[in-house]
Structure formats: structure tokens, C-alpha cells
Amino acid sequence: MQARVYRSNCEGKFKMDATKKPLLIPPEFSNYAEKHGIFQIYESLLTKLVIEQPADPLSYLIGLLGQDGSVPQIIIHGPPAAGKRTMSVMVAKHFNCVHITPDNLVVESDSKAAKKAQEYMSAKESVPTHVWVTLIKERLSKEDCISKGWLLEAFPQTREQAQALQAEGMMPKHFVLLEARDTVLIERVMGKRIDPDTGDVYHSTFDPPTDAAVVQRLVPDPKSSEKVMIERLMEYHRHIDGILMCYEKIYKSVNVDQPKTDVFSQVMAYLKMNHRDSAPHTPRLILLGPTGCGKSVQAELLASKYGLVNVSCTELIKQSLVDDSKLGEAVRPYVERKMLVPDDLVLQLLRNRLAQLDAVTKGWVIHGFPKTREQAESLTKAGYEPNRVVFMDVPTDTIVERLTLRSVDPVTGERYHLIYNPPRTNEVKQRLQTSPKDVESAVNHRMAEYQAYIEEIGEYYEGTGEHINADQDIHTVFECIESIIVNPIPRKE
């Protein structure tokens, strides 16, 4: 009995008091791993370690850590006459990476594998898969490919080759498939011309050379006859589905039956895109937009669906007054005099809320802050840097219509809008009251304040900011915001 009493006393003594100040977690705890890609680094190292199985794992991992993991690793593929060579040259030049083709693999190497491949090619026989894989592995292990990255053109040509590359750990980050109808490709190939000195490909109609000397030495492509082209297309279609099965999560199809500049633009947009990875993702979201754009509504929807902590600066100020804390007492004079609460006090309220366990583990969505670039900088300096910023764009006339026509029934507290949610009876309509902040002059004043600062805030959040059209149905806007949260942000140069 005495033991049970003692244990009960101990439990009472050490039980956490719910009235105590909540545990505040420094923002660095949640930001560091995401900011530096620790999870992705660990995943990449482990994958390569399992594939390569080096004799000295520690030295091998140290060597990998010294390499730049952000260099391009690209495959550009497609049927004959799709423009693989032209697009590969343009992309390789843009990224300053190594352009690799099956032909230059053999010509530029003096290895045993290259000599073996040359023997097969001289005998007009297919080069075995293991020879190709050896050649590619040798090339990708050279310093220029490691430091600059690489682009592999028109390879693999079979599913067997694709699987062999993957078995050796040679997996691109992006796979671009150039596509067009067979009739378009046959028409293209009839005008195809090759510069025998450089190997560059031109077209007599669509892409003629500008240099007169190059024009003089152009020769027709020996593979450009219609019969040969049809055979090559049949061979391509026989293998391409199997190849794509090996790259189904990273490949992107681009229609090449359009101007070259448009094709290049679409290819580059894809190559700058970050793929979704397995790293845990905690949303830290800021909604920015003019008064009446629907920030609070969208924040509630996001909090409801994803469990994010809904952080409203207005509500934080009200809550601080109710809690009767020291910070609340500092805020009270400004609220009572209807003055703006200073940035340092608002920031302290935000820090206290964002540092709590639920905000750190579940993520958060802030609306109503920041309103200036200085506030945005202060939030970042405090360690609370968003990984998504959504600018909810709505025309001024729409905002005026939304706000100036809304009113409240003082008897029931119901909210109405003369266009979208009008009162059902004339009696209710007669007693409706409009808030002073919703008169047109007040709305225009708030819009002017927003427009004065939003451009510089947009510049500050350029890397993580996305604009959406918020002049739509609530659920359509929510879907737009949702897609920004769940999809990786494209790389911006």
C-alpha cells in the first residue's frame, strides 16, 4: 500500500502541468534537413553504395560527397527525324554538359570495348548490349561528365539496353521523348541533309544552314529514302514501349511538329523541373493577396484537409489579449487605440505560435503577414522561411464588388452579399448593415496599400512564389493552391 501511495505521489509530482508555457522548438530543427537535402543525399549515397558495392565503402562515400549532385543527367530519345541531334546540341550547349552519342562513344575512345564495338560495326552486326554498357560506363566515369553532367542522345535503343544501364546504376534524372506522327517524320527525312565535316544535321526546308560554305558541302542522308525510313520507324515502334517502361516515372513526351524554338522551350521547362522524391515534406505556406481575395477561406480549407496549423495574425493578436500574457499587455495599448501593432510584437507572436510542436510537425499556413518586404525579411531572419508562397491575384474591380456589396444582419449575425447571397426577404434586407471597412473608399485605400508593397515582396519570394488566378470558384482556387503544395517547385535560373 505504501508503495502504491509513493508511486501515486511521484506521478502527481512529475506530471506535466498543462498551464505551463508550451515547449518552443527552434526552427533550425525542421529547416536544416530540408534546406540542405539531407534525406536526398542519404538516399542517393545508399543507392549507389548498394549498386557499386565498393571494397572500401567509407572512401567511396567520401568521394561521392565531393561530387556535385546537381549536374544534369539527361537522355533525349525519339523516332528517326524527330530532331534528337538538333535538340541535344541546343540543350547540351545551354547546360554546358557533355553531349554523348553512340557514334562518338566509339570514335573518341581507344578502349578495348570501343575496338570491339568498331569490329561489330565494320561487320555490319549489332553491337552487344554489354559492350555498349561498358563504353557508356567508362565515359560517364570521366571527370568532365562528373563535374559538368551529361546528355545521352538516342540511347538505349532496346529495353534490354535500358535494363542493363539501370543495373549498373546509370539512371538519368530526366528522359525526354520527342514525338510526331509517322507521316510528318517521313516528310521531314526527305529533306534531311548532313554536313560530312561536322556531322551536323540540317533540313533543306525547315532548318537550312546560314553559311554558304556549309550549304555547298551538304549531302543527303543515306538513310533518308522512304523505304529505309519506314523500316527504321517500324524498328523504333517495336522497342520504344519497352524502353519507356524503364523510365515511366521520369520521362516527358514533347510534340516536335511545331517550331524548333517552341520545342526547345518545352524541353527546357521539363529539364528545370524537380522530380518528386521520397523525402518527408512539411508544408510551410504563406498566402498573399489583396483584401477580399479569399486568403482566410483557403487557409481554413488547407488546414482542414492537410492538418496544417492555420495562423492568422489578427487572431493571434486577439488571442494574446485573452491570454493576458506579457506580450498581450504590450499589444493591448495599440489595439485599444486602433493603431497598427509594431512589427516586432507581431513577429514575436508568430514565433511563439510557429515554434510549437504541432506547427513544427504538421506544417503551417500564414495569411495576413507579411505586408512589407521588411516583414518578410524579419520572418526569414527569425528562421521561419516558407517553402511555398502563393500570390492570389484578383482584379481590383472584382475586389470592390466582393466587399462593398457584402453586409451583416445585426439580429441573426448572418452574412449576405447582394449578388452572390442576397437576403430572402425585404425585411432582412432593410436591416442589413455594412461594415465601415467595406465602404468603397476604405477598400480602395487597402488595395492601394497592398499594391504599394506586393511587387517588392514578390521579388523577395521569387524562388518559392507562385501566382494563381483567385478570381474563380473557391474550390477551383483551392485545387490550384493544392497543386502548388504537392508538386515540386521548378528550378529557376
Side-chain angles (χ1 to χ4, degrees), residues 56-69:
D56 186 355
L58 186 58
S59 299
Y60 176 76
L61 291 175
I62 292 173
L64 288 179
L65 286 171
Q67 298 176 8
D68 185 359

Side-chain angles (χ1 to χ4, degrees), residues 202-217:
Y202 299 93
H203 193 281
S204 56
T205 304
F206 305 119
D207 187 25
T210 55
D211 189 341
V214 175
V215 174
Q216 293 297 322
R217 62 174 182 257

Side-chain angles (χ1 to χ4, degrees), residues 214-426:
V214 175
V215 174
Q216 293 297 322
R217 62 174 182 257
L218 290 183
V219 296
D221 183 359
K223 300 177 182 179
S224 63
S225 70
E226 185 172 351
K227 180 180 178 182
V228 173
M229 182 61 178
I230 291 174
E231 291 176 353
R232 294 172 66 199
L233 284 171
M234 290 176 62
E235 178 75 10
Y236 167 80
H237 290 305
R238 187 159 48 246
H239 294 289
I240 190 59
D241 289 341
I243 294 172
L244 294 181
M245 288 175 65
C246 298
Y247 301 102
E248 59 182 347
K249 293 185 178 180
I250 62 167
Y251 89 86
K252 169 72 173 178
S253 297
V254 177
N255 178 21
V256 298
D257 190 13
Q258 53 184 325
K260 182 170 63 176
T261 53
D262 292 344
V263 176
F264 180 69
S265 176
Q266 292 178 34
V267 169
M268 290 304 302
Y270 169 66
L271 295 179
K272 292 177 183 178
M273 186 183 76
N274 293 315
H275 289 297
R276 189 190 307 276
D277 54 43
S278 304
H281 171 60
T282 304
R284 300 189 302 276
L285 180 67
I286 290 180
L287 298 181
L288 295 173
T291 177
C293 71
K295 298 186 293 293
S296 59
V297 173
Q298 296 301 326
E300 289 175 6
L301 292 173
L302 290 166
S304 175
K305 181 168 184 177
Y306 292 101
L308 307 183
V309 174
N310 185 357
V311 182
S312 166
C313 289
T314 303
E315 295 301 320
L316 286 179
I317 291 172
K318 292 179 181 178
Q319 187 63 44
S320 71
L321 298 177
V322 173
D323 293 343
D324 214 18
S325 62
K326 290 183 179 180
L327 192 54
E329 290 303 313
V331 168
R332 189 180 303 278
Y334 297 97
V335 177
E336 291 176 348
R337 297 171 188 171
K338 296 183 179 181
M339 298 171 61
L340 291 176
V341 178
D343 290 352
D344 59 334
L345 294 179
V346 175
L347 188 62
Q348 186 60 46
L349 289 170
L350 281 169
R351 292 177 67 176
N352 289 347
R353 185 64 190 93
L354 299 181
Q356 292 180 28
L357 183 61
D358 59 347
V360 173
T361 56
K362 297 178 181 179
W364 41 260
V365 50
I366 297 177
H367 51 106
F369 190 93
K371 294 183 177 179
T372 65
R373 183 184 177 107
E374 289 73 20
Q375 291 178 348
E377 292 173 346
S378 298
L379 190 63
T380 301
K381 289 177 182 177
Y384 299 100
E385 188 172 356
N387 49 28
R388 300 291 190 277
V389 178
V390 179
F391 295 87
M392 300 174 63
D393 299 331
V394 182
T396 301
D397 56 348
T398 301
I399 293 294
V400 172
E401 181 184 272
R402 284 186 183 184
L403 299 186
T404 58
L405 298 181
R406 68 182 184 181
S407 53
V408 178
D409 184 345
V411 176
T412 64
E414 290 288 330
R415 296 176 179 272
Y416 294 95
H417 192 282
L418 295 183
I419 295 178
Y420 306 119
N421 182 29
R424 294 179 178 83
T425 66
N426 191 55

